[in-house]
Every structure is written in structure tokens, then in C-alpha cells.
Amino acid sequence: MPLPTGPFILGETMTQLIQLITFGIVQGLTYALLASSFWIIYSTTRTFHLAHSLTYAIAGYAVYVVSVQLAMPLWIGLLASLLCSALAGCAIEFLLYDKLRKRGSTVLGIFLSSLGVAAAGTALLQLIFGPMVKQVPGFPNATLSMGEVTVTTLQLTGSAAALVTIAALYVLLTFTSIGNAVTAVRTNPRLSMAVGIRVESVSLLVFAIGSAMAGLAAYFETISFVAYPTMGLQPVMFGVIAVFLGGIGSVKGAALGGFVLGFLLVFSGLFLSQNLGVILVFAVLLVIVVFRPDGLVRSPIGR
Amino acid sequence: MAGSYIADLASQVAFLVALSVSLNILLGFAGQMSMATAAFYGLGAYTCAVLTSQGASLTGESLFAPQLPFLGGFLGAVVVTFFAGLAVAAPAARRVKGDYLILLTLAFHFLFITVTSTWVDLTGGPNGIMLPPLSLLGFEIKTTDQAFWLAFAWAVIATIICWKIGGSPFGRLLRGIREDEIALHALGKPTVWPKSLTFGITAAIAGATGAVSAAYMQFVAPTTYSLDLAILVAACVALGGAGNILGSVLAAIAIGSLRPILENTGLLSSDTAVPWQTVIYGAILVLGMVFRPAGLLPEGFSFRRRGNYYKSVPGDNVIAMAGHSYIEPSGARRVKTPKPVSEVVVEVRDLTKSFGGLQATRDVSFKLRKGEIVALIGPNGAGKSTIFNQMTGAIRPDRGDVLLRGQSVLGADPVKVAKLGMARYFQHVRILEGMTAIDNVALGVPGQTGEALSRVFLTPSAVAKREREVQAEARKHLKDVGADGYADQIARDLAFGQQKLIAFARLLATGADVLLLDEPTSGVDPRSAQQIIELVRELAASGKTICIVEHSLHVVSELADRIVFMDAGAVVGEGTVEEITGRADLVELYFGT
Amino acid sequence: MTRRLTDHQVSRRGVLMGMGAIASMGVLGFPALGFAQEVDGPLTPWFGKGGPKAGAGLKWTHGLNLALTGTGAAIGQVMSQGSQVATNLIRESGGPDIKLALNDHQGGLVPASVTGVRRMISQEGIKSLGTSYGPASEALFPLVANSNITTFWSGGAGPGGLNKPNVWITMALFALDPATGGIAYLAKRFPEAKRLALIGQQENGIGAIKGIAPKVWPQVSNGGTVLDAEYVNIGTTDFSSLIARLKSAKADAIFSTIYGNDQGYFIRQLRDAGVNIPIMSIDLATPTVPDIAGDAVANNCFLAVDGYLPENPNPYNKLFVNTYKSKYGTNPDYFAANFFEATNILGALISRAVAAGKNPEDAGVLSEVMAANSSFPSVYGGSVTEPGQMKFNVEDHSVTKPIGVFEIGQKGVLKKVATITKGSTDIGAA
């Protein structure tokens, strides 16, 4: 198909550029948050945890139940989101993955059971809450504009929360003893077991942290738009892509991958129609996996 | 297409069976985790649709359409998907593995879906393309009952193809790839082409299935080829039993029947049948993985095995009783007599390798002669294994050369080196854990007709004849090392010493005349160690050239005709056992201070 | 409301009478006019009297192929409710006894659709079908053509359904029918608008974007230009790159054929980004869209569609709305209305076939009856005294029914602002 040309590209380039950068930052931070949330789980426990998408949806419904059905304030809804997602993630790790690993399950076995949880859980959500989307109104949202460039307060809040969370994760991993334990397990589980680190506890911890981070993203999506049973699929999928895009060696790599993905999706709009931008993402992913499997950020630790 | 619902359901199940058996070859046998099943299935369907459609999309756009008959579309689908499979395999067969392979195939899947939804001029976009009524060689297929026989026939053909592949020496090669590719390389078996071919075949069978289903449905649209389908097929393989074709067939039938049963037993109304079905299916997947990770019918499972066990190898128990006839009774310490100087088989010249700033080996030179046992010894980190790695082509030296019978093997990969007759025995055995002892050894046998897939189908009798020879040979080698008593046991279930013996038998099976042995007795109980020592001695006596890396001075002194002493990447001494043990500096170096 | 109490009595009596009538027709070989007894019912004013001559008691199973799970599940639900209301009214009015069978095509999956409809044909014995969604319906055409299943495509219908045997499109063609009038209205309402952006998914609406809009806009807008068409994937939830392009392109108005939830995300994000130019869309019927779009939906958004207004005072519509509300507690929407109408058309066709002494189950009979008289009452248009009218084109099986332009208000409430006709730039009064 012919590429769209003409007036769409030759508009006021500066305005478009600044607007695109704004959107890119907003999108990029969201994906960076999701990527980091998947990364901490994946890199530490080597679990291809696609049931993360279920965790995400559970967080979305948690804020709906608390802030709409129980009519509590939105900040309690936020706490509920974080708590429920962390619990959901830990439950999956404790009841399933841990057992599978101890039984010597293959990578494929864990991957498939993860998909099984995601499928069954999403269907259960639909059976419980019905297929209709659930709206959680009430966040005081406004559009701020600087000239023709705009951003909403909701986008600003979500981006700031994502940034702070990623930074907090970085600090936790780099400067605390808990972070050292996590890094030890990530780089060498056997050795860390030998030096007395309880690998099971660390696994639970990273599932709690990663799931709560996904819960945060889900909270903002729900209060911005709606919650529905399959809401986690696309964000988590893109989060996974971002992790491998950026590199699985460090949180910086994962976060950068998310950021790049967001920018890629938004900036492809400079040259391409939106639907072609999505194709570009998968094409870039293919290229990265094939030619630079370490991702954009190579790291001495990791693979 | 009119006709009965039951026939329609049966056809859908037949398609699922065909997809599952083909994925089992790739996933169960070759161990390649592909999530691209639905993409290949869809690619075949779309190829057939584009080639056979009447050239107008449902939104009224005109499309590219050569309007071929169904058979043309079918063949087109097979060819296109076969090459698409090879294309995906290009990175997958070389370096992309594990989680990365999942991601690679996922990316391929999404790429396929987004392109079919977007490239409206070819694919009709989300609205899809209609196909003409199905007719095969002029015979019009009007009802689902007739179409079922087509679907059924195709499922049977696909199953037979996959079953043949799985049971052939090629299938054994694939299982070896799944277990340990590096071990196969050291046995002189290339893996890139078999893996690529398997990707191609799996894709082609999925594509052909897609073509049949598209012609049957008379319709293609992107939503049909969802990731859910890829997951469903993978679930059929895993639940049925990876590496067991019959298991995939049964699982596909069972899982494919789930929704119709739920709908028609009236337990659930249709608007909740689907979510409940998903819940049940997800639960089966999770519980299956937890409680029966090897699947319903694990690999190697056979309903007939018990009855036929001894029939397959006549006189089996006699052999088992015969024991160690080849080897002298252990414990009889042999007095070493100086050997006449024989021809040089291997010459290592100035091998130098550094990793970053670390000098691993420096100007290492030595010679191996026919019938001689040379021991490479030295403290930990002296660079002994690195020398082996350079000799077999696993690592390319910075400088220096390796000559085998006067010819340089520098630049050759491990497969080539092994084929030239220099084979390696790994310190960590690298036994193919999920395979039987006899399969492990059979994989070592060179020149197997049945490892070329085309021969499996074109000259089956030649393949069968050669396979009988291979089996006999493998059994002989097992008997030679005294391991024939557990020929049909899975290697994982054996003791470490037994695994080492099997690895030895496998090494013998390669027929290589230069054997590089990396700590053959470490971690083995004394009885097995003695057995291995006898074995090595016998091999040298039979004219093999042997180089052994060993820590145990006992073993070295029992075996070695000559010792090459290495320290910090360089040769610091060379001579007989007595000469080396006579040098105080080396003894001190070896035992430390 | 009070009628519902007698629902079962009427139908039981109807069954007995119908059985008697059919038996006598079959056995004695001549119309049992002497036994016939005419029945008045709620639908009588527009479909005539009920009774054995109208097929009372005739058992008939009508299949519905809908999205009952997935993102479109809510739509499937109201569609089946609209049909349910119709079958009850038909039975009460002395028409055939239509039972509904359901199949879930899971939000448009082709195999689920084809296999499920085949199941309904063979296991539940359906004789007719109502279906929704694009590909999920299109995939059925060969099946319904060969199985003699009269099919009403009443959701997401596109040009792919034209001229297909046994397939009748009971709604305005998605995007194609209302595009000309909608774009003309945009030009009339916003005469200063020059640059029209075209946005859509590459599905049924593509003809409106590629063919109609570029032709119509320059004519009606007095020298305006259309910008290059922008396509988005179905299921898109982030439109930021598109919005940035719209901003820089300085579009004055938007013509959008985006359907489903995507439209909600698009409108919301567009307004959040401070772009307040008018949007003419051709679908906002998905009941979840106003939830997703929030307040933005009431900001300069229009709809050119066979738009359904529950408050339309036409008597046929009032009967529908009252009955629906008493049964389900809410007002019916567009989807419910379309399936209500289509199911009543089925009832009328069966009745007319029986009245003509034919067996409605025989191949081609319903089509013959349709060809003889293809006009039916409609819940769209009309007046306080008269229902609206829908008329099928017996050549290509499309329908002409009242379409309008609507201004969208809070919660997606529609206000009709103009009447338009298929393919015409004439703008009529509301």
C-alpha cells in the first residue's frame, strides 16, 4: 500500500515534534514501568510469566470494586490495586511456579502453565464481572496546554508515578541489602543459595514487587479509561517486547526498552500510518532478537 | 457447505490433530519452542485463498488472484510455508534459543497478523477473502460429510509423516538436538540443517492444513489465526506427551472435543460455554504441567512394548549375561612395556589463545602418536580443556595450528573435526539424558542413511537395513563397555558411572581414531573407574591415538605412555611418568605448596 | 405489561390451534378455513391479524450468531434481547412460535461462527439466522446458501453481503449508506471547515474512506480538500501518534469510520489533547463507548447512521421500547432495535408464506414471499401515528431505511439533527 504523504507530514513540524515527544514520554514511561515489572520477575526467576496479564486485570478490577462498588476514595482504590496485584502475583508464584520448578519442569512447561493461568483467570473475571467494561470516574482530569502542545493531568500523574517507581526499584536494587540478595539470585541462584540467601523468599519478593508495579499501571489505565477482562494482554505483551528490546541484563535496559518502544510507536507517526507503526514494532523486535539478542543495553551480568 | 455438524466437528478436530503432530516434531522431538503455529497455519490458508479466490474482496476491492484450482493453492501453500519455516529457522537454528525463540516466533506471529490485517490489496484486510467451493481433481465436495474424509485423510497423512520422522534415525537426531547440541557436534553430527528442515516441515504441514481448512471453510480472515490457536496446539503437544505422536493425536481429539461436549450436553448455555471452556482448558493445562509434566503418553511409551521387548533383539539376555568378555578382568595391573615409536597422528603447534587480557594458552605444542596414550596434566586453570577446545574447533586459536594426519584442521568446526576422526569425551559427560542408552550410542554411529530425511521417505528399505546395522553396532559397543545390561534405560535414570560408560560407548561408535578424553574417571566409583582404565588401555592397544586430561595421578600412572605438563597456559615439561615424577619443581607445582 | 401475563395462555392455545390447522391442511388437503380463528395482538396494527392463517403455533427455531464473549459480549447480549422481545410479541399476536438458539462467535472468530451455525442447523434445527459482525457473518455465506437458511445480517453489515443467496441485510450498510449525507451535513454545519481528515479501520468502512469521502467533500465543502486517509488497527487503544499528525495537519473536521470501543479511546484522547474539531462518525452504538470516552463524547461529535432513538414516538417503536423496558429494565439500544426489527420481518415472512398456502420451510419460499412484498414497518423514523418504513431491494438484498445525523450528548444520548438518505447530499429536517 502507498505510504501516506502530503499534508499530514508537511504540517507544522515543530509543533508536531514537541507533541510527539510529549506523547512519547507519556507512552514511554508507561511501557518502561510495565517492562520493569516484567523484567524483575523474569530476570530473577527465569519465569516467562505471561500470567502477568491476569495480575494486571485483577488490579484494574480491584480499583473498580473498591472505588465504585464500595464507593471508597480513589487513593484507597490505588492501595487495593497494588495489594491485590501483589497478592495475585505471589499466589501464582507460590502455588504454581515454585512447585513446577521443584518438579524439574521445562521452560515450556512453565510457559504453558503460565498461559493456562492467564486464560483461565481472564475467563473467570468475565464470569464474575460480566463482559461489560467497568468505568471508575472521579479523577479530576484537565487538559494542560502549552501553545498547541497538550498533556492531561492524568497523564502527568501517571508518568510521574511510573518514573518514581522505576527510580525506586533502581535504588532498591542498587543500594540496599534486599537489592543485593535479588541481584545475587538473578546472577547465580545456586551460589546465592550456598551463601545462605533464601531463593524462595527472594522469588516471592520479586513477584510482589513486579506485580504491584503492573498493578500501578493497571490502576492508571482503569481510572483513565475502563477495566475489562482482557485489559492486560496488550500492555503486558508490549512490556515483554520492551524487556527484550532493551536488554535483560539490568533494570536500566528494561526501562530503556519500554521507553524506546513507546517512542517508536508514537514517532513512527512521523512517517507512517498508525497501523504500520505497529508492524514496525514487531519488525524491530525480530531484528533485535536475531542480531542483537542482548538488547540495546548490554550488560556484564545477565545471560 | 451443507452437511452434518458432527462431520464438521470431526473435521475441525482433524485439523487440530494435523497441527499437533507437526508441532510435536518441532517442539517435542527437536525441542524448539515455536509459538508460530497459527501464523504458519494462517500463511498456508492465505496462500491457498489468494491463489484460488475469484479476485474480489468482500468490500469490493479487486485483489491479486490467479484463480488456480484447489490443488494449485494447496501446493502453493506447502511451498510458501516451507520456505517461511526455513526463514524463521535461519536465526532459530543457529543462535536463538529458549525464551528468545518464544519471543522470535511470537514476533513472527504478530507480524503475520498485522500484515494480513493491513495489506488489504492482497489479503482483503480484516474482512478476509472468500474461496470458491471446494473441489478436488474435478470432484466437487458439497457436504461436510464428504469434506470430512478429505480432512481425515489429510490428518492421517500428516500423522504418518510425523510418525515416520519421529521413529526414524532423523527423529533420533532431533531428540539428540533437543538434549544437547554440543554433544552432537562432538559426535560429528551437524545440527543446523536438521533443525532448519524440521522448522520447514512443521511449517509446511501446518500450512497445508491451513490450505485444506481454508478451502473447507471457503473463507479466511485474520481473527481465525489467533495466538490462542498456537497456544492450544502447544497445549495438545505438551499434554499429549512431547515426543510422542500418538499422545498428540489423543490430546488433540480430547481437547478439540471439549467445547462441543460442553455445549451439547446442555450443562452450559452457549453464552457461558466459552468462558467455562477456557477455565477448564486453562486448568487442565496447569494441572497437566504440574502432575504429569511428561504428558499423557510420555516419550517412548508404547502399548505394545512389554509384549515385544525381547522379541526385538533375539538372544538379548544371553548378551547381557556375557558381561565383560571384551575386557580383561579388572585388578590385574599390567606392566607397561615401552612401545615402538609409531607415526605422528596429531600435531599441536604453538596454540595461543587469550580471552580479553587473560592468556589461556601460550605456544602449546605437542604430538600424539598412533597407539600412544598421552596425558595432559597440570594444576587447575592450566589451560588443558582450552587446548581440547582449540583442537576440536570449539574455540579458534589466536595463533598456532592443529594438524591431523598432516592436514590442518584449523577453522573447521567441531562437526568437521569429529568427522575427520578426532572425537572428544566431555568431562561432564554430556550424556543425552532424555534418551535411552542405546539411542545415545546409536547417535554416535557415523554414515547413517536415515539421518537424511529424504532417504527416510524415498528409500525406506535402505534406511531400515542400515538402521538394523546401526542398532547392532550400538549394541556391540555397549557390550564392549559392559553397559549392555541397561541398553533400553533412559540415561537420566542411570548412575553417573554408568552414564560415563555409555558416553564411552558413544565415543567408540563414532569410529574416531583420535580420542580426546577429558577426565574420564572423575566422579566415578572405583570399580567403574577401573573398568574405564582397562577400556582406554584396550583402545590404545587396538591402535587408537589417545590424549587424556586427568587429575588423578593414579590413573595417569596406570595409563600414560607420556605426559605433557602444563601450567599457566604453557607446556612446562614433557616425558614419561617416571621422568615427570622425578622433577621436584613439577611435583611441587602439581600438589601445591 | 399486562399482556405479558397472558403470554403463555395465548401461546398454548395458539399451539393447539396451529397443530389442528396444520394437521387438517396436510391430511385433508385443503385450507382449513373453517377452523381458522383470527387473533388480535400487539403487532396486529402493522402485521395484520394472527391466527392459524398467520402461522400461529407453527414451531420454528431461529438461530442467532452473536458475540457473547470477548469485547463485543455486551452487544451480543442486547441483540439477543431485542430478538427475544420480538418472538414474544409475535407469539402473543398469533404468529408463529419462534424459539431462539444462540451461538457465540467469540467476538468474530470465523471457525467459531461457522461451526456454531452448523451446530444450530443440525442439532437445534434452525431454519433461519440472525447474525452480526463482518468476517464472522461473511464466512457463513456459503453455508447458508447451501443449507437453505434465510439469514438476516443485522450487525456490522457491509457490502460483502450484497447479492448473496438467502442473505438479507436489514440495516443501513455500515459507513457506505450514511457517508454521503453525513459529510454533506458536516459541510453545511461547519461552512468554514476546509480540511477534512479521514480515519478508519480497513474493514467495512473502507469504501466510504477510499471512494465516497474524497468525492463528496470537495463538492459540498466549496473547494475543501481531504487529507490522506489514516488507518488504524482494530483494537487500538492508543491514538497518540495519529493525534499528533492530526494536529500538525491542521485538520478542520474529521470523518471517522472507526467502530467499537476504539472510537471511545480515539475521541477521548483527541479531546484530551485539546483537539476540539467536529467529528462525524458512523458508529457509536457500542454501549461501552460512552463509558470509555467519558465527557469527550458530548464534545462536538456527530453520528451519521441509521441512528436509533428510544424516544422516537412512532407507535411501533413505543410498543418495542415499553415491552423491552418492562422485561429488561433499560431502554433498548441500536443493536436491540435492529434485531427486534429483523426478527419481526422473519415472523411476517413466515405468516405471509402460511397465508399463501406454502410451507415456509421449503427452499426459497421466504425469498419468494419477500419478493412479493418487501416493505416492513420500522422503529426508525415515522411519526406519532405511523411507524417508519423499511424496504428491501429484492435484487441486491439491501434495505433502505430512515437514516439521520445525530448530535451525541452526555452518556451517548443521541439528538437527531437532520434526516439524510442513502447516497444523497440532501439534508432534510430532523
Side-chain angles (χ1 to χ4, degrees):
Chain A
M1 66 178 299
L3 292 180
T5 52
F8 252 133
I9 287 173
L10 305 171
E12 286 194 6
T13 316
M14 250 344 260
T15 313
Q16 186 182 8
L17 208 61
I18 298 171
Q19 183 68 68
L20 278 174
I21 291 172
T22 318
F23 281 147
I25 292 172
V26 170
Q27 283 295 312
L29 282 172
T30 307
Y31 287 127
L33 178 63
L34 284 163
S36 311
S37 80
F38 183 82
W39 171 82
I40 179 79
I41 294 173
Y42 172 75
S43 68
T44 313
T45 68
R46 289 294 140 134
T47 309
F48 211 91
H49 176 47
L50 280 190
H52 211 39
S53 63
L54 175 64
T55 309
Y56 189 94
I58 286 175
Y61 277 99
V63 56
Y64 168 72
V65 168
V66 169
S67 296
V68 175
Q69 291 191 330
L70 304 177
M72 292 204 229
L74 276 175
W75 66 268
I76 297 186
L78 172 63
L79 293 183
S81 275
L82 299 180
L83 190 67
C84 289
S85 51
L87 283 177
C90 289
I92 298 171
E93 158 66 14
F94 184 71
L95 298 174
L96 182 62
Y97 297 147
D98 188 49
K99 303 261 179 304
L100 284 171
R101 275 186 226 112
K102 284 183 179 145
R103 284 163 187 262
S105 194
T106 56
V107 176
L108 178 75
I110 293 179
F111 178 64
L112 283 178
S113 57
S114 173
L115 289 170
V117 171
T122 309
L124 272 177
L125 279 179
Q126 186 182 334
L127 287 167
I128 297 167
F129 291 99
M132 292 285 270
V133 301
K134 301 295 181 196
Q135 197 190 7
V136 181
F139 190 91
N141 194 18
T143 301
L144 312 173
S145 41
M146 302 144 273
E148 288 190 37
V149 178
T150 53
V151 65
T152 66
T153 46
L154 201 47
Q155 285 169 336
L156 274 183
T157 323
S159 304
L163 192 63
V164 168
T165 309
I166 297 167
L169 180 67
Y170 178 76
V171 169
L172 179 83
L173 289 180
T174 320
F175 301 110
T176 69
S177 58
I178 295 177
N180 286 341
V182 171
T183 309
V185 173
R186 193 173 81 237
T187 43
N188 196 336
R190 269 192 202 148
L191 193 67
S192 48
M193 214 174 330
V195 299
I197 296 172
R198 287 166 62 194
V199 176
E200 282 96 344
S201 312
V202 170
S203 296
L204 273 181
L205 179 75
V206 296
F207 265 87
I209 294 173
S211 301
M213 287 170 78
L216 183 69
Y219 170 79
F220 277 101
E221 175 169 349
T222 306
I223 63 168
S224 305
F225 300 105
V226 285
Y228 53 96
T230 53
M231 68 188 292
L233 283 183
Q234 195 259 6
V236 167
M237 203 63 231
F238 276 23
V240 173
I241 290 172
V243 168
F244 286 86
L245 211 59
I248 62 166
S250 66
V251 65
K252 278 188 279 185
L256 181 80
F259 213 76
V260 167
L261 180 73
F263 261 81
L264 201 61
L265 279 168
V266 171
F267 265 76
S268 60
L270 264 177
F271 321 98
L272 298 172
S273 187
Q274 174 124 13
N275 55 352
L276 300 177
V278 180
I279 295 183
L280 184 72
V281 167
F282 293 119
V284 167
L285 176 67
L286 268 181
V287 170
I288 291 278
V289 169
V290 172
F291 294 104
R292 203 183 158 101
D294 290 342
L296 298 172
V297 179
R298 284 190 174 146
S299 166
I301 333 170
R303 298 179 68 217
Chain B
M1 202 182 282
S4 89
Y5 162 65
I6 299 296
D8 176 58
L9 282 183
S11 302
Q12 307 289 343
V13 170
F15 297 142
L16 188 59
V17 166
L19 291 176
S20 302
V21 292
S22 74
L23 184 65
N24 201 342
I25 292 299
L26 185 62
L27 196 156
F29 284 81
Q32 306 294 306
M33 277 188 289
S34 166
M35 282 289 126
T37 315
F40 289 132
Y41 179 59
L43 186 60
Y46 265 95
T47 308
C48 182
V50 167
L51 292 178
T52 61
S53 83
Q54 302 304 300
S57 81
L58 285 149
T59 47
E61 316 271 312
S62 66
L63 304 172
F64 165 77
Q67 305 191 12
L68 299 180
F70 168 67
L71 221 50
F74 180 84
L75 291 176
V78 170
V79 171
V80 167
T81 49
F82 178 74
F83 283 103
L86 286 189
V88 171
R94 287 176 177 81
R95 45 184 172 171
V96 179
K97 294 187 171 69
D99 295 346
Y100 285 83
L101 185 58
I102 294 180
L103 201 72
L104 173 80
T105 48
L106 275 179
F108 177 74
H109 171 87
F110 287 118
L111 205 56
F112 168 75
I113 293 297
T114 39
V115 168
T116 46
S117 307
T118 308
W119 197 356
V120 177
D121 296 341
L122 184 73
T123 65
N127 280 78
I129 312 173
M130 280 182 89
L131 284 80
L134 178 56
S135 77
L136 190 63
L137 303 170
F139 177 72
E140 233 177 279
I141 294 173
K142 285 197 182 122
T143 69
T144 53
D145 306 76
Q146 292 164 343
F148 165 70
W149 292 109
L150 180 67
F152 178 73
W154 170 244
V156 169
I157 291 170
T159 306
I160 290 175
I161 292 175
C162 294
W163 184 70
K164 280 293 266 184
I165 294 175
S168 70
F170 183 79
R172 182 167 59 216
L173 190 63
L174 293 183
R175 286 188 287 135
I177 289 172
R178 175 190 69 198
E179 298 293 327
D180 190 341
E181 272 189 67
I182 292 173
L184 284 198
H185 293 161
L187 297 173
K189 305 282 178 182
T191 58
V192 169
W193 175 243
K195 268 204 283 187
S196 306
L197 190 61
T198 307
F199 261 101
I201 287 169
T202 296
I205 294 177
T209 311
V212 177
S213 80
Y216 170 71
M217 290 274 188
Q218 290 182 244
F219 191 77
V220 291
T223 54
T224 308
Y225 310 103
S226 64
L227 190 59
D228 292 348
L229 179 72
I231 295 167
L232 182 75
V233 177
C236 288
V237 173
L239 291 172
N244 190 313
I245 297 292
L246 183 62
S248 297
V249 173
L250 294 181
I253 293 173
I255 292 178
S257 314
L258 197 58
R259 182 182 180 196
I261 289 173
L262 285 181
E263 276 177 355
N264 289 305
T265 46
L267 291 173
L268 302 161
S269 69
S270 180
D271 59 337
T272 53
V274 171
W276 275 117
Q277 180 206 11
T278 312
V279 171
I280 293 171
Y281 151 73
I284 289 176
L285 202 49
V286 171
L287 296 177
M289 287 302 114
V290 173
F291 294 108
R292 206 168 166 88
L296 181 68
L297 305 181
E299 179 174 304
F301 179 90
S302 162
F303 291 111
R304 299 181 310 154
R305 170 166 272 189
R306 276 205 184 100
N308 279 350
Y309 190 65
Y310 289 106
K311 227 190 282 174
S312 60
V313 185
D316 194 34
N317 29 7
V318 180
I319 297 172
M321 296 301 287
H324 306 207
S325 59
Y326 185 89
I327 299 163
E328 295 171 48
S330 59
R333 181 169 164 118
R334 197 185 59 155
V335 179
K336 229 176 282 166
T337 47
K339 286 178 186 167
V341 174
S342 55
E343 69 197 89
V344 172
V345 182
V346 177
E347 184 177 356
V348 171
R349 269 191 205 154
D350 303 331
L351 282 183
T352 302
K353 177 78 193 173
S354 60
F355 298 105
L358 185 76
Q359 189 83 29
T361 62
R362 182 161 27 92
D363 297 322
V364 173
S365 303
F366 56 85
K367 288 175 182 161
L368 304 178
R369 293 169 191 278
K370 186 174 163 69
E372 189 188 36
I373 302 176
V374 173
L376 206 51
I377 66 170
N380 273 331
K384 298 165 307 225
S385 292
T386 312
I387 287 294
F388 273 11
N389 280 335
Q390 291 175 77
M391 288 170 76
T392 55
I395 293 177
R396 206 189 157 93
D398 298 334
R399 191 152 53 77
D401 204 352
V402 178
L403 303 178
L404 179 60
R405 290 181 220 94
Q407 298 284 312
S408 172
V409 295
L410 208 65
D413 61 6
V415 176
K416 182 97 184 289
V417 173
K419 278 187 171 171
L420 289 171
M422 183 151 69
R424 176 172 185 183
Y425 176 95
F426 292 94
Q427 182 186 355
H428 298 295
V429 197
R430 288 193 174 270
I431 199 87
L432 308 171
E433 288 199 334
M435 301 172 72
T436 59
I438 184 94
D439 277 351
N440 261 280
V441 180
L443 264 175
V445 179
Q448 296 194 35
T449 324
E451 284 178 0
L453 191 56
S454 54
R455 302 293 296 271
V456 172
F457 290 99
L458 298 180
T459 58
S461 58
V463 167
K465 179 164 169 284
R466 178 74 183 114
E467 176 61 9
R468 280 193 297 275
E469 293 166 13
V470 169
Q471 288 286 332
E473 210 175 313
R475 246 167 231 284
K476 178 183 150 294
H477 290 302
L478 274 178
K479 190 176 156 231
D480 289 350
V481 302
D484 50 342
Y486 31 87
D488 293 302
Q489 290 197 36
I490 303 288
R492 187 186 294 119
D493 304 335
L494 297 174
F496 191 57
Q498 294 171 319
Q499 291 184 355
K500 284 213 150 184
L501 288 178
I502 290 164
F504 244 104
R506 189 172 72 182
L507 190 69
L508 297 183
T510 62
D513 47 12
V514 181
L515 305 178
L516 308 180
L517 310 177
D518 201 345
E519 305 207 15
T521 64
S522 69
V524 175
D525 61 282
R527 192 182 160 276
S528 299
Q530 197 53 42
Q531 209 175 332
I532 288 168
I533 290 171
E534 311 281 356
L535 198 59
V536 173
R537 205 179 276 150
E538 282 300 323
L539 290 170
S542 70
K544 305 264 187 203
T545 306
I546 294 173
C547 183
I548 180 168
V549 164
E550 189 52 71
H551 272 292
S552 158
L553 264 192
H554 163 70
V555 175
V556 171
S557 59
E558 284 241 0
L559 285 175
D561 299 308
R562 200 151 49 83
I563 289 176
V564 174
F565 197 112
M566 282 183 72
D567 181 43
V571 176
V572 292
E574 194 173 343
T576 63
V577 177
E578 289 73 23
E579 284 164 11
I580 295 293
T581 48
R583 277 178 60 177
D585 57 331
L586 294 184
V587 173
E588 188 182 330
L589 201 59
Y590 194 80
F591 292 107
T593 42
Chain C
M1 275 235 264
T2 49
R3 276 183 202 285
R4 283 188 66 247
L5 297 172
T6 61
D7 191 345
H8 288 285
Q9 294 156 15
V10 171
S11 70
R12 217 172 281 132
R13 201 172 59 202
V15 171
L16 291 172
M17 287 189 304
M19 277 163 56
I22 291 164
S24 42
M25 276 194 292
V27 175
L28 302 176
F30 63 90
L33 291 172
F35 297 82
Q37 204 179 328
E38 294 192 327
V39 176
D40 265 330
L43 292 173
T44 305
W46 314 290
F47 291 94
K49 286 186 182 297
K53 264 180 76 179
L58 177 77
K59 295 279 187 193
W60 187 279
T61 309
H62 180 59
L64 294 176
N65 183 43
L66 311 170
L68 294 168
T69 49
T71 46
I75 301 176
Q77 229 160 43
V78 296
M79 284 174 168
S80 72
Q81 290 169 356
S83 293
Q84 191 67 54
V85 168
T87 56
N88 289 348
L89 287 173
I90 292 168
R91 213 179 291 121
E92 286 174 42
S93 308
D97 183 5
I98 300 174
K99 198 181 107 195
L100 295 176
L102 288 178
N103 176 55
D104 179 10
H105 62 53
Q106 301 172 40
L109 295 188
V110 170
S113 173
V114 176
T115 301
V117 169
R118 208 169 256 142
R119 172 180 60 81
M120 293 196 292
I121 294 171
S122 120
Q123 305 303 100
E124 316 214 27
I126 61 164
K127 300 288 182 292
S128 57
L129 178 71
T131 183
S132 67
Y133 273 56
S137 299
E138 287 158 353
L140 297 170
F141 296 159
L143 174 63
V144 299
N146 293 330
S147 309
N148 181 35
I149 300 293
T150 303
T151 299
F152 301 99
W153 192 2
S154 311
L162 296 175
N163 303 306
K164 295 287 185 296
N166 286 342
V167 177
W168 297 91
I169 299 172
T170 72
M171 57 190 292
L173 280 185
F174 180 83
L176 299 181
D177 284 4
T180 311
I183 290 168
Y185 178 82
L186 212 48
K188 190 181 161 201
R189 173 91 180 250
F190 302 96
E192 73 288 357
K194 290 287 173 250
R195 296 160 69 78
L196 180 69
L198 308 177
I199 296 163
Q201 295 136 331
Q202 292 179 308
E203 216 185 297
N204 284 333
I206 198 167
I209 297 236
K210 274 192 170 172
I212 299 173
K215 214 158 55 203
V216 173
W217 179 252
Q219 293 169 15
V220 295
S221 65
N222 199 10
T225 52
V226 293
L227 303 173
D228 284 345
E230 284 282 313
Y231 297 110
V232 294
N233 288 320
I234 295 163
T236 303
T237 54
D238 171 47
F239 290 85
S240 40
S241 79
L242 173 59
I243 289 168
R245 284 157 79 85
L246 280 173
K247 276 189 169 185
S248 80
K250 299 239 171 285
D252 301 319
I254 296 171
F255 174 70
S256 153
T257 66
I258 298 176
Y259 75 86
N261 287 344
D262 305 14
Q263 179 81 328
Y265 287 99
F266 174 59
I267 293 175
R268 168 69 182 279
Q269 289 167 17
L270 191 68
R271 297 312 186 217
D272 273 356
V275 182
N276 294 309
I277 56 176
I279 304 173
M280 177 63 70
S281 34
I282 44 75
D283 178 80
L284 199 84
T286 308
T288 48
V289 169
D291 279 346
I292 296 169
D295 292 344
V297 80
N299 178 358
N300 220 5
C301 296
F302 300 86
L303 193 58
V305 75
D306 40 348
Y308 176 69
L309 298 175
E311 58 276 14
N312 182 359
N314 109 32
Y316 181 45
N317 184 50
K318 280 180 88 168
L319 170 71
F320 169 52
V321 173
N322 291 337
T323 321
Y324 188 96
K325 212 167 173 178
S326 71
K327 192 164 166 64
Y328 300 108
T330 58
N331 270 334
D333 65 8
Y334 173 72
F335 299 108
N338 286 346
F339 272 72
F340 172 77
E341 280 189 349
T343 312
N344 275 332
I345 292 168
L346 170 70
L349 291 176
I350 297 171
S351 296
R352 288 179 199 170
V354 172
K358 292 173 180 162
N359 181 356
E361 291 189 12
D362 288 347
V365 165
L366 293 187
S367 294
E368 276 172 42
V369 175
M370 176 75 99
N373 175 4
S374 67
S375 285
F376 299 89
S378 173
V379 295
Y380 295 83
S383 65
V384 181
T385 52
E386 287 296 314
Q389 207 205 35
M390 57 197 290
K391 187 169 172 55
F392 285 91
N393 177 335
V394 295
E395 297 302 317
D396 69 6
H397 297 191
S398 69
V399 71
T400 305
K401 65 203 272 187
I403 31 183
V405 177
F406 301 82
E407 190 160 357
I408 305 170
Q410 286 293 346
K411 303 265 170 217
V413 174
L414 299 183
K415 185 180 134 215
K416 190 165 181 184
V417 290
T419 301
I420 54 176
T421 4
K422 185 162 154 176
S424 154
T425 55
D426 296 338
I427 309 292

